[in-house]
Each structure stands twice: as C-alpha cells, then as structure tokens.
Amino acid sequence: MQNLDILYIEHEPSQAQQIVALFHSNQLRHVTTTHEALRVFKATPYPFVILCASLPKGESIDVCRTLKALAPHTKILLHVAPAECAQLLEAIRIGVDAFALKPLEKPAFLATFNAMADASFASRKSEETLHLAQQLSRAFEASAIVSKTNPSGIITYANKAFETISGYTQEELLGKPHNIVRHPDMNKSIFKEMWDVISNGQIWKGVVKNRHKDGGFYVVEATIIPILDVNGKVTEYMSVRHDISQLETRNSYLQDVAARNIEIAKTKSNELLEKLYKDEITNLPNSLALQRDIVRFEGGTLFLLDINNFNIFNKLYGFAFGDLLLQEVTKNLMFLSSKEEILYKLSADRYALLSHTHDETHIENTCNQIFAYFDTTEINVETIENFVSFSVGVAKIEDGRDAIVDAEFALDISKKHGKRFKVVYDGGSSQIREELESISWLNKTREFIHKDMIVPYFQPIVDVHTREIYKYECLARVIDGDLVIPPAMFIGAATKLGLLTSVTKSMINKSFQYFADKDISFSINITERDIMDGYLMDFIRFKAERYGVNPHNITFEILENITLSKESDLITGTIGLVKDYGCDIAIDDFGSENSNFSRLLSLQSDYIKIDGSFVHNCDKDLEKQKIIDAIVQLAKRLGIKCIAEFVSTEAIFETIKVLGVDYAQGYLFGKPEPSTL
C-alpha cells in the first residue's frame, strides 16, 4: 500500500472517515464535491480514484465518465450500496475498474483495491519493460551482434559479439550457412517470409530464437539489411542483432504475474458479485437478484410478503433479536416453498416469492397456506415464542409491465386492510387508481412547492351587523396553467412529503407581502407541524418587520384538533408567544372534532370559527341552530367572538344573525379571489 496517490470522492462524513483510516495520510486526498474533485484531478491526474456511487444529484456516473475521458489509464474503484445496481451497471459500461460494497467491510475492500492496484502495477511494469528494451537497443549499438552473408546465406563475416553469444569461433562460423545457429523451435515459415522480403531488396526485422553451440538457446532481435550495388542487385546481407534473451524472459515473467493478478481480481470480483446478490442476514437472494431473475418467470406470479408490525419486535427485544427472528421466518417460508419457486429476502421485513404459475386457484392456495401456517406456528427465538403474520401483494409477471411495482401497489392496499390480507394487482380497480392518483399528487405537489407555485387567495369575512368587510382569510391555491387547484388536492400530499411547513411559509411570506403597508386585517392557517418545528415565531417576526405588517392585523387560525395534541405545553407556549407579539388566535372548524372547551381558555382564543357542517342549511335544521346557539353562548361567556363559515344564502345569514354570531364568511359575500383590494 506504499507509493500510492489516491483521490477519494465522498460527501458523507461518516463513510469518508472509515475509508480515510485505511490509508496513510500522505497517500490519499479526500474531497467532498465533484467540482473540487475535477479541479484537483485536472491539476494532478491521480492514478487511483475511489468514488462514492451515491453523490448528490446522481453526479457519480458523470464524474466517472469525465475522469475516464481526462485520464483513461486512471484506475477507478466505485464504492456502491446494494440498492445502487443501476449506477454500478452504468459505471461498468463506462469502464470502472473495480467496485466495493457498502457498508464498508475492511478486508473485502482492501482485497479489491489491492487487486486493482496490483494489476495497475503489473501494467506499469510492462510499460517500463518496453522502455528498457528501447534503452538496451541503444546500448547494443556499441556491441551489436553483426554478421554478413553472401546472397546464398553463407557467412562471410562475424564479429566478436556473435562469437560470444553463439559459442562458435570465427573459424567455425566463416564459410558456413547462417542456419548453423537456427533453433529447431523456429517455424520454417518465418525464414521463408524473411527470404521473400530480403531477396526483393527490402529490410526484414524480427525476433529469432537461435541455438547455442552447446545446445542452449538465445533470443535476438534481428534486422537484416540487403546491401545493393549501383544496379539495385543484392550483393550481400548484413544482419544486426541484439540479445534480448533476458528481456524476453522478463516479459514472460511479467505476463505471468499480470495473468495471475487478473485471475485474482476476477475471483474477488466474482465473490463480491455473488455477495452483491445475497441478503446478509438470511443468505437468501436479495432485491437485486429478484430484478435479475424475474424475467425468467414471465407469465408467472410475484408474491410480496410483508411481516405485519415487525418493528415491534425490534423495539421490544432489539435489532439482533429481529435478525434472528428473520432467519427463523426464512426457514419456515423455505419449508412452505416448492422446488419450482424461488424465495427472496428484500429490504427490512419484506420477502418475495416467484412462481411460474399464475391462476386464481394457485394464488389463493399459496396465500391461504402461508396465512394458516403462521397462524398456528410459533417462531421460537431465544426461548421467546413469537407469532408473525403477513400482508401480501400479488402481481402477474408479464412483458411490458413492472411486476415489482404492481405488487408494491397491491401490497400497500393490502396493508391498509390489516393483517392476513392479500390483494392481487388489478389496474382497473378503484383502489389501484386511487393509489396511482395519490402518487401522482405526491409528484405534482413536490413540483408545486419546488417551483413556488402556491399563492394566496382572499375571501372576505364580514361583520354580521354592518355587512361590511371586517377582514380577509388567506387561502392556499396553486395556479397551474388555466387550473386553480384547491388545497384539498395537495395538502395531504405535502403532509406525506414532510413539506407542509413549506406551504405555510409560502403563504405567510406572500400574504404579508400582499398586505404590506396596508391597514387591513387578515388571517392565515397554521398547522401543528408548523408549531412543532419551532420556526414559527421567528419567521412571523422577520416577515412582519420586512413587509411592514402590523401584528395586530394578523389572525392565525389553528385546527381544533391541535388543541387536543399530546404536545399541549409546546403548543400553548408557542401560541402564547404569537399573542404576546400582538397577533390574534382563531380556532378553526370548531365542533367538528372532540371539542375540548377548557383549552379555549388556555390558548386565549380570540375567535371561534363554527364548522361549516353546522352552518350549512341551519335555516332549516333546528338541531343545528341549537348547536350554533350553544357555541355562541359559550363564546360570549368566555369573551370570544364567533365566525360562521359556509354562509351561502340570505336565509342562513339571517339565522346566524339571530343566533348572535359576530362575523360571517361564505359565498354570499364573496368567493376566494386572487385579489380583492
């Protein structure tokens, strides 16, 4: 591992620390970005590069391609995770020289790197040998093996070097045919070719194995030059030779070394490839093997099996116990599988089963057998008796479809139904269509937020007694071409993506900007996630000061169920800071959840927004009127103002007015619009 210059490209600190520890500090240069890597490499092309396959934005393949273009002889070792099969295959096509698997296994990593380095050194030695041969040629010019023959090949002159190397004296050489030193191993066709060339006045060069007087051999690099008279007729031949016996022996040795190293590298690569396709815990073929093998089962069935609530075992007994449990589950699944089926262990607690058969009876029998077997079979691990159950997603393996993705869709639906349930993928089913639509909205919502497409619409809230606009509620919308997309279409997806706070931040920023330097009151919705993330108060203060918005003009609406959160102290504390800053608080959709009236006081609410389900048709429904009246009376005793949502008709308006509601909001007074001022 000495005399190595290595460039190491890795952005993950913990992974980099492990690799750096394997080498001397003066051997390895560690960089964290592709930009820095290319700058360093262009300044000093490194002979060895260790490259992480999971650089951000998929840059690993691009930098691999660039390095090979800049220095084709640079050896690249790709550090790749089992799930990065696509990057590995592309890197192999580009010409990566070796790869090592993540997580790091020191012996395997060093063996792979050393094999690559040894092969590189062997290649370099071969190049050095060629250079040595050229240097020897210069030295041999002063002591070349020289002889001359007449046109018939009879030796007429031989120098001292010829005598020395052949073992013959001048007297023994002169007057003899040159084939006196011909070795029987030499192919006669070579000499025929030589005579064809030189008899036509052309120079012939070649390597010839000659026989020593004592029966041994030596190898010479020969140049035979025809000597021509003024008429172009050959008068004699001059042969200039250099002894390359040692060089040939050295080359043969180096070729043997290189061949052995290549075989070692191939063996190690095969071992690593085999490991790449196996799950370490169960020794079953893994997800990469499934993708490789599934094409052989066209027309058959793919079963995805997910152990229900497996994380409970890890939490109760630890991950080591979980691994042992998986090993026992594997044995039982293997027992249930036929010889024609292949069982795979995928990530975490998931298995796959490939079968050549696809019909309803086979699917039913297979799933029922698994359910029934594990219902009655105890899995014993460390004297603890465990029962496991599965959710199963099933898909047909057919050309033109990704059966793994189809089975994933089916499995997701199966898990929603609970334990011991199977779903067979059917592209025409409403459940599958809903899953596809849900995923589509995840992608769309990510784009909406990334492109900052969320904008506020404004709906007036009026004073019931004067019918004048009291303030506006800022409601999130997405403008996509001619479409105006309501929050019901993207808020759920934003929540799943963990991007809900991005929506709130965008609404606060754009609403504050809209009401900048205006003495107009407005309200904005906030969520439990906004409060839990801890950014809210500083963000509100920063944006209010930036746009010159009076905090007393701002109301933040929170959903009633936030008041029931387990993190009540944090929520109460954050709401208190918002109110201390001068903003008001409204409880939105009041009455739609399990109302907790005592929390109204702890949150110091300024407004209650009566849920629209009570306001709708309240002019015709006496029960709804009673509920509204009860909420209003409670609010008045607590000093809280009431706002009725979904006020769409004059009759509803007159009803809530009689019941004592303070403010009204709904289509009767205006729909949400992009600009109302």
Side-chain angles (χ1 to χ4, degrees), residues 144-175:
I145 305 164
V146 180
S147 65
K148 289 193 294 182
T149 69
N150 63 21
S152 299
I154 302 301
I155 299 173
T156 60
Y157 170 79
N159 70 349
K160 187 65 177 178
F162 195 179
E163 292 184 64
T164 302
I165 196 168
S166 68
Y168 291 98
T169 64
Q170 280 273 349
E171 292 75 12
E172 292 173 315
L173 291 171
L174 296 180

PDB file of all heavy atoms in Angstrom, residues 144-175:
ATOM      1  N   ALA A 144      26.751  -4.560 -30.917  1.00  0.00           N
ATOM      2  CA  ALA A 144      25.743  -5.316 -31.644  1.00  0.00           C
ATOM      3  C   ALA A 144      26.307  -6.627 -32.157  1.00  0.00           C
ATOM      4  O   ALA A 144      27.502  -6.768 -32.406  1.00  0.00           O
ATOM      5  CB  ALA A 144      25.226  -4.478 -32.812  1.00  0.00           C
ATOM      6  N   ILE A 145      25.390  -7.572 -32.313  1.00  0.00           N
ATOM      7  CA  ILE A 145      25.765  -8.863 -32.897  1.00  0.00           C
ATOM      8  C   ILE A 145      25.636  -8.711 -34.409  1.00  0.00           C
ATOM      9  O   ILE A 145      24.526  -8.597 -34.935  1.00  0.00           O
ATOM     10  CB  ILE A 145      24.833  -9.967 -32.385  1.00  0.00           C
ATOM     11  CG1 ILE A 145      24.837  -9.992 -30.847  1.00  0.00           C
ATOM     12  CG2 ILE A 145      25.224 -11.317 -32.949  1.00  0.00           C
ATOM     13  CD1 ILE A 145      23.698 -10.766 -30.255  1.00  0.00           C
ATOM     14  N   VAL A 146      26.787  -8.720 -35.078  1.00  0.00           N
ATOM     15  CA  VAL A 146      26.794  -8.396 -36.503  1.00  0.00           C
ATOM     16  C   VAL A 146      27.399  -9.552 -37.295  1.00  0.00           C
ATOM     17  O   VAL A 146      28.405 -10.145 -36.905  1.00  0.00           O
ATOM     18  CB  VAL A 146      27.590  -7.104 -36.774  1.00  0.00           C
ATOM     19  CG1 VAL A 146      27.589  -6.776 -38.259  1.00  0.00           C
ATOM     20  CG2 VAL A 146      27.037  -5.947 -35.949  1.00  0.00           C
ATOM     21  N   SER A 147      26.731  -9.811 -38.418  1.00  0.00           N
ATOM     22  CA  SER A 147      27.306 -10.808 -39.353  1.00  0.00           C
ATOM     23  C   SER A 147      26.906 -10.411 -40.763  1.00  0.00           C
ATOM     24  O   SER A 147      25.951  -9.640 -40.967  1.00  0.00           O
ATOM     25  CB  SER A 147      26.789 -12.214 -39.021  1.00  0.00           C
ATOM     26  OG  SER A 147      25.392 -12.284 -39.237  1.00  0.00           O
ATOM     27  N   LYS A 148      27.669 -10.941 -41.727  1.00  0.00           N
ATOM     28  CA  LYS A 148      27.344 -10.732 -43.139  1.00  0.00           C
ATOM     29  C   LYS A 148      27.371 -12.079 -43.842  1.00  0.00           C
ATOM     30  O   LYS A 148      28.143 -12.968 -43.489  1.00  0.00           O
ATOM     31  CB  LYS A 148      28.348  -9.781 -43.787  1.00  0.00           C
ATOM     32  CG  LYS A 148      28.205  -8.334 -43.315  1.00  0.00           C
ATOM     33  CD  LYS A 148      28.979  -7.364 -44.196  1.00  0.00           C
ATOM     34  CE  LYS A 148      30.484  -7.592 -44.083  1.00  0.00           C
ATOM     35  NZ  LYS A 148      31.237  -6.625 -44.911  1.00  0.00           N
ATOM     36  N   THR A 149      26.465 -12.170 -44.835  1.00  0.00           N
ATOM     37  CA  THR A 149      26.453 -13.390 -45.655  1.00  0.00           C
ATOM     38  C   THR A 149      26.417 -12.985 -47.112  1.00  0.00           C
ATOM     39  O   THR A 149      26.055 -11.845 -47.455  1.00  0.00           O
ATOM     40  CB  THR A 149      25.216 -14.250 -45.343  1.00  0.00           C
ATOM     41  OG1 THR A 149      24.054 -13.578 -45.827  1.00  0.00           O
ATOM     42  CG2 THR A 149      25.081 -14.548 -43.851  1.00  0.00           C
ATOM     43  N   ASN A 150      26.780 -13.953 -47.967  1.00  0.00           N
ATOM     44  CA  ASN A 150      26.632 -13.703 -49.395  1.00  0.00           C
ATOM     45  C   ASN A 150      25.185 -13.965 -49.781  1.00  0.00           C
ATOM     46  O   ASN A 150      24.379 -14.389 -48.945  1.00  0.00           O
ATOM     47  CB  ASN A 150      27.610 -14.557 -50.200  1.00  0.00           C
ATOM     48  CG  ASN A 150      27.335 -16.045 -50.030  1.00  0.00           C
ATOM     49  OD1 ASN A 150      26.240 -16.450 -49.655  1.00  0.00           O
ATOM     50  ND2 ASN A 150      28.334 -16.882 -50.312  1.00  0.00           N
ATOM     51  N   PRO A 151      24.801 -13.719 -51.033  1.00  0.00           N
ATOM     52  CA  PRO A 151      23.395 -13.914 -51.426  1.00  0.00           C
ATOM     53  C   PRO A 151      22.884 -15.323 -51.170  1.00  0.00           C
ATOM     54  O   PRO A 151      21.656 -15.527 -51.085  1.00  0.00           O
ATOM     55  CB  PRO A 151      23.411 -13.581 -52.912  1.00  0.00           C
ATOM     56  CG  PRO A 151      24.526 -12.609 -53.067  1.00  0.00           C
ATOM     57  CD  PRO A 151      25.585 -13.080 -52.118  1.00  0.00           C
ATOM     58  N   SER A 152      23.755 -16.282 -51.004  1.00  0.00           N
ATOM     59  CA  SER A 152      23.317 -17.659 -50.746  1.00  0.00           C
ATOM     60  C   SER A 152      23.195 -17.961 -49.261  1.00  0.00           C
ATOM     61  O   SER A 152      22.854 -19.089 -48.879  1.00  0.00           O
ATOM     62  CB  SER A 152      24.305 -18.640 -51.384  1.00  0.00           C
ATOM     63  OG  SER A 152      24.358 -18.444 -52.779  1.00  0.00           O
ATOM     64  N   GLY A 153      23.489 -16.995 -48.377  1.00  0.00           N
ATOM     65  CA  GLY A 153      23.356 -17.198 -46.953  1.00  0.00           C
ATOM     66  C   GLY A 153      24.581 -17.768 -46.295  1.00  0.00           C
ATOM     67  O   GLY A 153      24.519 -18.227 -45.157  1.00  0.00           O
ATOM     68  N   ILE A 154      25.745 -17.750 -46.982  1.00  0.00           N
ATOM     69  CA  ILE A 154      26.992 -18.244 -46.396  1.00  0.00           C
ATOM     70  C   ILE A 154      27.638 -17.108 -45.614  1.00  0.00           C
ATOM     71  O   ILE A 154      27.782 -15.993 -46.130  1.00  0.00           O
ATOM     72  CB  ILE A 154      27.945 -18.764 -47.480  1.00  0.00           C
ATOM     73  CG1 ILE A 154      27.280 -19.883 -48.296  1.00  0.00           C
ATOM     74  CG2 ILE A 154      29.244 -19.248 -46.844  1.00  0.00           C
ATOM     75  CD1 ILE A 154      26.847 -21.080 -47.478  1.00  0.00           C
ATOM     76  N   ILE A 155      28.053 -17.415 -44.387  1.00  0.00           N
ATOM     77  CA  ILE A 155      28.621 -16.377 -43.518  1.00  0.00           C
ATOM     78  C   ILE A 155      29.981 -15.947 -44.047  1.00  0.00           C
ATOM     79  O   ILE A 155      30.870 -16.769 -44.264  1.00  0.00           O
ATOM     80  CB  ILE A 155      28.766 -16.879 -42.077  1.00  0.00           C
ATOM     81  CG1 ILE A 155      27.391 -17.266 -41.500  1.00  0.00           C
ATOM     82  CG2 ILE A 155      29.435 -15.833 -41.184  1.00  0.00           C
ATOM     83  CD1 ILE A 155      27.462 -17.924 -40.133  1.00  0.00           C
ATOM     84  N   THR A 156      30.104 -14.651 -44.251  1.00  0.00           N
ATOM     85  CA  THR A 156      31.382 -14.090 -44.705  1.00  0.00           C
ATOM     86  C   THR A 156      32.027 -13.227 -43.625  1.00  0.00           C
ATOM     87  O   THR A 156      33.204 -12.884 -43.729  1.00  0.00           O
ATOM     88  CB  THR A 156      31.171 -13.248 -45.976  1.00  0.00           C
ATOM     89  OG1 THR A 156      30.256 -12.180 -45.672  1.00  0.00           O
ATOM     90  CG2 THR A 156      30.625 -14.100 -47.105  1.00  0.00           C
ATOM     91  N   TYR A 157      31.246 -12.859 -42.609  1.00  0.00           N
ATOM     92  CA  TYR A 157      31.806 -12.031 -41.530  1.00  0.00           C
ATOM     93  C   TYR A 157      30.981 -12.272 -40.272  1.00  0.00           C
ATOM     94  O   TYR A 157      29.750 -12.406 -40.316  1.00  0.00           O
ATOM     95  CB  TYR A 157      31.765 -10.545 -41.886  1.00  0.00           C
ATOM     96  CG  TYR A 157      32.111  -9.643 -40.719  1.00  0.00           C
ATOM     97  CD1 TYR A 157      33.438  -9.441 -40.344  1.00  0.00           C
ATOM     98  CD2 TYR A 157      31.108  -9.007 -39.986  1.00  0.00           C
ATOM     99  CE1 TYR A 157      33.756  -8.631 -39.266  1.00  0.00           C
ATOM    100  CE2 TYR A 157      31.413  -8.187 -38.909  1.00  0.00           C
ATOM    101  CZ  TYR A 157      32.744  -8.010 -38.554  1.00  0.00           C
ATOM    102  OH  TYR A 157      33.063  -7.204 -37.478  1.00  0.00           O
ATOM    103  N   ALA A 158      31.661 -12.308 -39.136  1.00  0.00           N
ATOM    104  CA  ALA A 158      31.002 -12.407 -37.834  1.00  0.00           C
ATOM    105  C   ALA A 158      31.845 -11.662 -36.814  1.00  0.00           C
ATOM    106  O   ALA A 158      33.049 -11.900 -36.728  1.00  0.00           O
ATOM    107  CB  ALA A 158      30.824 -13.857 -37.408  1.00  0.00           C
ATOM    108  N   ASN A 159      31.220 -10.765 -36.034  1.00  0.00           N
ATOM    109  CA  ASN A 159      32.013 -10.007 -35.067  1.00  0.00           C
ATOM    110  C   ASN A 159      32.147 -10.769 -33.750  1.00  0.00           C
ATOM    111  O   ASN A 159      31.596 -11.863 -33.577  1.00  0.00           O
ATOM    112  CB  ASN A 159      31.415  -8.615 -34.850  1.00  0.00           C
ATOM    113  CG  ASN A 159      30.088  -8.652 -34.087  1.00  0.00           C
ATOM    114  OD1 ASN A 159      29.512  -9.712 -33.893  1.00  0.00           O
ATOM    115  ND2 ASN A 159      29.610  -7.484 -33.686  1.00  0.00           N
ATOM    116  N   LYS A 160      32.883 -10.152 -32.828  1.00  0.00           N
ATOM    117  CA  LYS A 160      33.185 -10.817 -31.560  1.00  0.00           C
ATOM    118  C   LYS A 160      31.907 -11.104 -30.773  1.00  0.00           C
ATOM    119  O   LYS A 160      31.789 -12.144 -30.108  1.00  0.00           O
ATOM    120  CB  LYS A 160      34.127  -9.919 -30.734  1.00  0.00           C
ATOM    121  CG  LYS A 160      34.650 -10.572 -29.470  1.00  0.00           C
ATOM    122  CD  LYS A 160      35.531 -11.769 -29.792  1.00  0.00           C
ATOM    123  CE  LYS A 160      36.108 -12.370 -28.529  1.00  0.00           C
ATOM    124  NZ  LYS A 160      36.936 -13.559 -28.802  1.00  0.00           N
ATOM    125  N   ALA A 161      30.950 -10.170 -30.828  1.00  0.00           N
ATOM    126  CA  ALA A 161      29.705 -10.374 -30.085  1.00  0.00           C
ATOM    127  C   ALA A 161      28.974 -11.610 -30.590  1.00  0.00           C
ATOM    128  O   ALA A 161      28.350 -12.341 -29.810  1.00  0.00           O
ATOM    129  CB  ALA A 161      28.812  -9.140 -30.221  1.00  0.00           C
ATOM    130  N   PHE A 162      29.051 -11.875 -31.933  1.00  0.00           N
ATOM    131  CA  PHE A 162      28.415 -13.071 -32.496  1.00  0.00           C
ATOM    132  C   PHE A 162      29.106 -14.325 -31.960  1.00  0.00           C
ATOM    133  O   PHE A 162      28.456 -15.308 -31.606  1.00  0.00           O
ATOM    134  CB  PHE A 162      28.499 -13.003 -34.019  1.00  0.00           C
ATOM    135  CG  PHE A 162      27.587 -13.974 -34.722  1.00  0.00           C
ATOM    136  CD1 PHE A 162      27.538 -13.998 -36.121  1.00  0.00           C
ATOM    137  CD2 PHE A 162      26.788 -14.887 -34.029  1.00  0.00           C
ATOM    138  CE1 PHE A 162      26.709 -14.893 -36.796  1.00  0.00           C
ATOM    139  CE2 PHE A 162      25.964 -15.774 -34.700  1.00  0.00           C
ATOM    140  CZ  PHE A 162      25.925 -15.787 -36.075  1.00  0.00           C
ATOM    141  N   GLU A 163      30.416 -14.260 -31.916  1.00  0.00           N
ATOM    142  CA  GLU A 163      31.153 -15.406 -31.371  1.00  0.00           C
ATOM    143  C   GLU A 163      30.741 -15.689 -29.924  1.00  0.00           C
ATOM    144  O   GLU A 163      30.479 -16.841 -29.542  1.00  0.00           O
ATOM    145  CB  GLU A 163      32.660 -15.129 -31.402  1.00  0.00           C
ATOM    146  CG  GLU A 163      33.276 -15.053 -32.776  1.00  0.00           C
ATOM    147  CD  GLU A 163      34.781 -14.864 -32.697  1.00  0.00           C
ATOM    148  OE1 GLU A 163      35.456 -15.789 -32.169  1.00  0.00           O
ATOM    149  OE2 GLU A 163      35.271 -13.802 -33.113  1.00  0.00           O
ATOM    150  N   THR A 164      30.678 -14.601 -29.154  1.00  0.00           N
ATOM    151  CA  THR A 164      30.381 -14.756 -27.715  1.00  0.00           C
ATOM    152  C   THR A 164      28.989 -15.342 -27.488  1.00  0.00           C
ATOM    153  O   THR A 164      28.796 -16.263 -26.692  1.00  0.00           O
ATOM    154  CB  THR A 164      30.495 -13.396 -27.012  1.00  0.00           C
ATOM    155  OG1 THR A 164      31.812 -12.863 -27.206  1.00  0.00           O
ATOM    156  CG2 THR A 164      30.204 -13.535 -25.523  1.00  0.00           C
ATOM    157  N   ILE A 165      28.018 -14.795 -28.178  1.00  0.00           N
ATOM    158  CA  ILE A 165      26.645 -15.218 -27.906  1.00  0.00           C
ATOM    159  C   ILE A 165      26.338 -16.593 -28.475  1.00  0.00           C
ATOM    160  O   ILE A 165      25.534 -17.347 -27.921  1.00  0.00           O
ATOM    161  CB  ILE A 165      25.646 -14.168 -28.444  1.00  0.00           C
ATOM    162  CG1 ILE A 165      24.261 -14.412 -27.805  1.00  0.00           C
ATOM    163  CG2 ILE A 165      25.570 -14.202 -29.958  1.00  0.00           C
ATOM    164  CD1 ILE A 165      23.278 -13.290 -28.039  1.00  0.00           C
ATOM    165  N   SER A 166      26.989 -16.945 -29.617  1.00  0.00           N
ATOM    166  CA  SER A 166      26.685 -18.238 -30.245  1.00  0.00           C
ATOM    167  C   SER A 166      27.547 -19.380 -29.721  1.00  0.00           C
ATOM    168  O   SER A 166      27.185 -20.548 -29.851  1.00  0.00           O
ATOM    169  CB  SER A 166      26.875 -18.135 -31.759  1.00  0.00           C
ATOM    170  OG  SER A 166      28.245 -17.971 -32.072  1.00  0.00           O
ATOM    171  N   GLY A 167      28.729 -19.020 -29.155  1.00  0.00           N
ATOM    172  CA  GLY A 167      29.641 -20.057 -28.671  1.00  0.00           C
ATOM    173  C   GLY A 167      30.576 -20.585 -29.747  1.00  0.00           C
ATOM    174  O   GLY A 167      31.413 -21.449 -29.469  1.00  0.00           O
ATOM    175  N   TYR A 168      30.414 -20.092 -30.990  1.00  0.00           N
ATOM    176  CA  TYR A 168      31.283 -20.524 -32.088  1.00  0.00           C
ATOM    177  C   TYR A 168      32.423 -19.526 -32.247  1.00  0.00           C
ATOM    178  O   TYR A 168      32.260 -18.327 -32.010  1.00  0.00           O
ATOM    179  CB  TYR A 168      30.503 -20.609 -33.395  1.00  0.00           C
ATOM    180  CG  TYR A 168      29.477 -21.719 -33.439  1.00  0.00           C
ATOM    181  CD1 TYR A 168      28.128 -21.466 -33.182  1.00  0.00           C
ATOM    182  CD2 TYR A 168      29.867 -23.023 -33.773  1.00  0.00           C
ATOM    183  CE1 TYR A 168      27.185 -22.472 -33.233  1.00  0.00           C
ATOM    184  CE2 TYR A 168      28.923 -24.039 -33.826  1.00  0.00           C
ATOM    185  CZ  TYR A 168      27.584 -23.759 -33.548  1.00  0.00           C
ATOM    186  OH  TYR A 168      26.662 -24.765 -33.599  1.00  0.00           O
ATOM    187  N   THR A 169      33.577 -20.040 -32.750  1.00  0.00           N
ATOM    188  CA  THR A 169      34.708 -19.170 -33.068  1.00  0.00           C
ATOM    189  C   THR A 169      34.545 -18.655 -34.485  1.00  0.00           C
ATOM    190  O   THR A 169      33.697 -19.120 -35.255  1.00  0.00           O
ATOM    191  CB  THR A 169      36.029 -19.933 -32.961  1.00  0.00           C
ATOM    192  OG1 THR A 169      36.044 -20.983 -33.956  1.00  0.00           O
ATOM    193  CG2 THR A 169      36.191 -20.548 -31.566  1.00  0.00           C
ATOM    194  N   GLN A 170      35.377 -17.646 -34.814  1.00  0.00           N
ATOM    195  CA  GLN A 170      35.368 -17.116 -36.182  1.00  0.00           C
ATOM    196  C   GLN A 170      35.581 -18.240 -37.179  1.00  0.00           C
ATOM    197  O   GLN A 170      34.889 -18.317 -38.198  1.00  0.00           O
ATOM    198  CB  GLN A 170      36.487 -16.068 -36.327  1.00  0.00           C
ATOM    199  CG  GLN A 170      36.156 -14.696 -35.779  1.00  0.00           C
ATOM    200  CD  GLN A 170      35.458 -13.817 -36.806  1.00  0.00           C
ATOM    201  OE1 GLN A 170      35.404 -14.164 -38.005  1.00  0.00           O
ATOM    202  NE2 GLN A 170      34.916 -12.703 -36.337  1.00  0.00           N
ATOM    203  N   GLU A 171      36.547 -19.089 -36.922  1.00  0.00           N
ATOM    204  CA  GLU A 171      36.875 -20.150 -37.854  1.00  0.00           C
ATOM    205  C   GLU A 171      35.692 -21.094 -38.069  1.00  0.00           C
ATOM    206  O   GLU A 171      35.488 -21.635 -39.168  1.00  0.00           O
ATOM    207  CB  GLU A 171      38.098 -20.937 -37.365  1.00  0.00           C
ATOM    208  CG  GLU A 171      39.420 -20.155 -37.380  1.00  0.00           C
ATOM    209  CD  GLU A 171      39.510 -19.142 -36.257  1.00  0.00           C
ATOM    210  OE1 GLU A 171      38.671 -19.189 -35.318  1.00  0.00           O
ATOM    211  OE2 GLU A 171      40.376 -18.255 -36.322  1.00  0.00           O
ATOM    212  N   GLU A 172      34.925 -21.326 -37.004  1.00  0.00           N
ATOM    213  CA  GLU A 172      33.787 -22.238 -37.102  1.00  0.00           C
ATOM    214  C   GLU A 172      32.594 -21.603 -37.809  1.00  0.00           C
ATOM    215  O   GLU A 172      31.726 -22.311 -38.340  1.00  0.00           O
ATOM    216  CB  GLU A 172      33.355 -22.694 -35.704  1.00  0.00           C
ATOM    217  CG  GLU A 172      34.386 -23.588 -35.008  1.00  0.00           C
ATOM    218  CD  GLU A 172      34.019 -23.883 -33.575  1.00  0.00           C
ATOM    219  OE1 GLU A 172      33.611 -22.919 -32.853  1.00  0.00           O
ATOM    220  OE2 GLU A 172      34.132 -25.053 -33.154  1.00  0.00           O
ATOM    221  N   LEU A 173      32.569 -20.274 -37.849  1.00  0.00           N
ATOM    222  CA  LEU A 173      31.429 -19.585 -38.453  1.00  0.00           C
ATOM    223  C   LEU A 173      31.659 -19.274 -39.929  1.00  0.00           C
ATOM    224  O   LEU A 173      30.753 -19.456 -40.762  1.00  0.00           O
ATOM    225  CB  LEU A 173      31.134 -18.288 -37.687  1.00  0.00           C
ATOM    226  CG  LEU A 173      30.570 -18.446 -36.261  1.00  0.00           C
ATOM    227  CD1 LEU A 173      30.533 -17.105 -35.550  1.00  0.00           C
ATOM    228  CD2 LEU A 173      29.169 -19.059 -36.314  1.00  0.00           C
ATOM    229  N   LEU A 174      32.804 -18.760 -40.256  1.00  0.00           N
ATOM    230  CA  LEU A 174      33.047 -18.305 -41.625  1.00  0.00           C
ATOM    231  C   LEU A 174      32.962 -19.475 -42.596  1.00  0.00           C
ATOM    232  O   LEU A 174      33.493 -20.563 -42.363  1.00  0.00           O
ATOM    233  CB  LEU A 174      34.415 -17.632 -41.723  1.00  0.00           C
ATOM    234  CG  LEU A 174      34.577 -16.344 -40.891  1.00  0.00           C
ATOM    235  CD1 LEU A 174      35.979 -15.765 -41.063  1.00  0.00           C
ATOM    236  CD2 LEU A 174      33.516 -15.312 -41.284  1.00  0.00           C
ATOM    237  N   GLY A 175      32.233 -19.191 -43.700  1.00  0.00           N
ATOM    238  CA  GLY A 175      32.074 -20.199 -44.738  1.00  0.00           C
ATOM    239  C   GLY A 175      30.936 -21.171 -44.466  1.00  0.00           C
ATOM    240  O   GLY A 175      30.667 -22.058 -45.283  1.00  0.00           O
TER     241      GLY A 175
END
